[in-house]
Amino acid sequence: MSDSPRNADLHCHSTASDGFLPPIEVVRRAHANGVDLLALTDHDTLSGLDEAEAEAQRLEMGFVPGVEVSVTFARETVHIVGLGVDRQNATLVAGLAGLRAGRDERARRMGKALEEAGLPGVYEGACAMAQNPEMVGRAHFARYIVSTGRMPDVSTVFRHYLGKGKPGYVEHEWAKLEDAVGWIRSAGGIAVVAHPARYGLDMHGLDHLFDRFVECGGEGVEVVSGSHSRDEVARYAELALKRNLLASRASDFHGVSESRMDLGQCPPLPSGLVPVWARL
Ligand code: AMP
Ligand code: MN
Ligand code: MN
Ligand code: MN
């Protein structure tokens, strides 16, 4: 595929959700790092896309409008990335608005739970950390708690307070898998399972997830992800081949302070896979 971009990065975040950089800065950083096809995929919102796309056009860098949709599947939270979505599509817009409406209610419950665990004022603190008031998430809670000096870094906060089963974790019903994939498809996008190694699903659960995902019209999987080890890349390359899925490559960059992988710095896709950008 001689016309394939050499450096595609198809999953990252801006201040429209829980990233540190405004959309324009994400695009500039990606460009400076040599990315030639970038998807901005904020959690449950399309609000950063216009700004990002305008800057990508100015820099003559390939740009894919994207989103990372929060899903509840088999009582686990699973993330489905939509690539190449039409941001005007009413079905997708309404679906994401519903998810955001649930976020503030969840954030208040998290605040209560943390207060009972001895951390008062965290809801207000988390809201102050978020640039987009509709998109207060666990990352903002974690950053606020770190800023109080009670914990050294966000991963420690997740381990003690915000991970599943910890005192600040509250159950929440996100989108259904078939709805998330349906919204993405009705907006003309390609649905991709994000960072498949990061879920609390065993082999059987993952098989079930991919069976259902494909039945609903899902087409891709992140083989290379900023959160995948080398072994995990190999495992999901095999899965992509076995299930005939398009393969994606994605840093999941949030900011220099919180991401292991910078924009455009992931290893290349293993050979023999069909890259999702062949279809974008
Ligand atoms: P939410 O959608 O509000 O539940 O937040 C999910 C986000 O929290 C992820 O996209 C990450 O940005 C962040 N996150 C989840 N788990 C961890 C972790 N163990 N360490 C650091 N950040 C995490
Ligand atoms: Mn995030
Ligand atoms: Mn994710
Ligand atoms: Mn992400």
Side-chain angles (χ1 to χ4, degrees):
M1 229 165 296
S2 57
D3 61 346
S4 298
R6 294 175 312 271
N7 192 346
D9 190 336
L10 301 179
H11 177 164
C12 67
H13 298 274
S14 74
T15 48
S17 64
D18 58 6
F20 282 91
L21 301 176
I24 193 169
E25 297 296 342
V26 173
V27 170
R28 287 175 182 167
R29 186 176 185 91
H31 184 257
N33 285 0
V35 171
D36 52 22
L37 186 65
L38 178 74
L40 178 66
T41 57
D42 275 304
H43 298 284
D44 307 328
T45 182
L46 306 169
S47 68
L49 295 177
D50 287 350
E51 178 182 317
E53 185 167 61
E55 185 63 4
Q57 273 169 6
R58 196 182 71 76
L59 294 167
E60 298 182 4
M61 182 178 72
F63 183 75
V64 176
V67 63
E68 182 175 17
V69 184
S70 308
V71 162
T72 301
F73 177 82
R75 304 179 62 99
E76 280 296 320
T77 299
V78 168
H79 287 170
I80 303 296
V81 162
L83 297 175
V85 293
D86 168 12
R87 73 204 78 166
Q88 317 293 340
N89 179 269
T91 305
L92 177 63
V93 166
L96 297 178
L99 284 178
R100 292 195 301 276
R103 270 191 179 267
D104 185 57
E105 175 264 335
R106 179 188 74 144
R108 289 173 193 274
R109 285 191 288 131
M110 285 173 60
K112 271 220 174 80
L114 287 164
E115 197 163 330
E116 281 161 21
L119 298 184
V122 182
Y123 169 73
E124 292 74 13
C127 290
M129 304 296 285
Q131 305 279 318
N132 180 350
E134 291 188 324
M135 282 304 308
V136 181
R138 286 186 294 162
H140 304 108
F141 277 78
R143 290 169 198 162
Y144 173 72
I145 292 168
V146 171
S147 79
T148 65
R150 306 220 17 174
M151 295 262 127
D153 52 51
V154 298
S155 55
T156 309
V157 183
F158 272 89
R159 242 184 358 262
H160 284 85
Y161 287 105
L162 300 178
K164 195 166 187 175
K166 301 300 171 191
Y169 184 86
V170 301
E171 292 293 335
H172 185 72
E173 204 63 38
W174 299 109
K176 290 189 169 60
L177 179 66
E178 56 267 36
D179 289 342
V181 174
W183 301 338
I184 291 165
R185 283 168 62 80
S186 58
I190 297 177
V192 175
V193 175
H195 44 64
R198 294 283 75 82
Y199 306 127
L201 294 166
D202 57 14
M203 282 297 278
H204 178 75
L206 271 174
D207 264 349
H208 182 41
L209 168 65
F210 277 98
D211 285 345
R212 290 288 303 129
F213 176 69
V214 169
E215 274 166 30
C216 313
E219 295 170 90
V221 57
E222 284 180 1
V223 170
V224 172
S225 160
S227 73
H228 281 177
S229 67
R230 230 193 302 177
D231 285 356
E232 288 164 344
V233 171
R235 185 174 325 146
Y236 290 98
E238 200 175 304
L239 180 140
L241 276 176
K242 198 177 81 188
R243 290 187 177 261
N244 252 322
L245 291 167
L246 300 165
S248 191
R249 171 178 187 261
S251 62
D252 201 2
F253 179 77
H254 284 70
V256 267
S257 56
E258 269 177 34
S259 298
R260 268 195 298 158
M261 201 65 77
D262 203 338
L263 291 159
Q265 314 252 293
C266 284
L269 275 185
S271 58
L273 301 174
V274 183
V276 65
W277 54 86
R279 291 269 309 279
L280 291 168

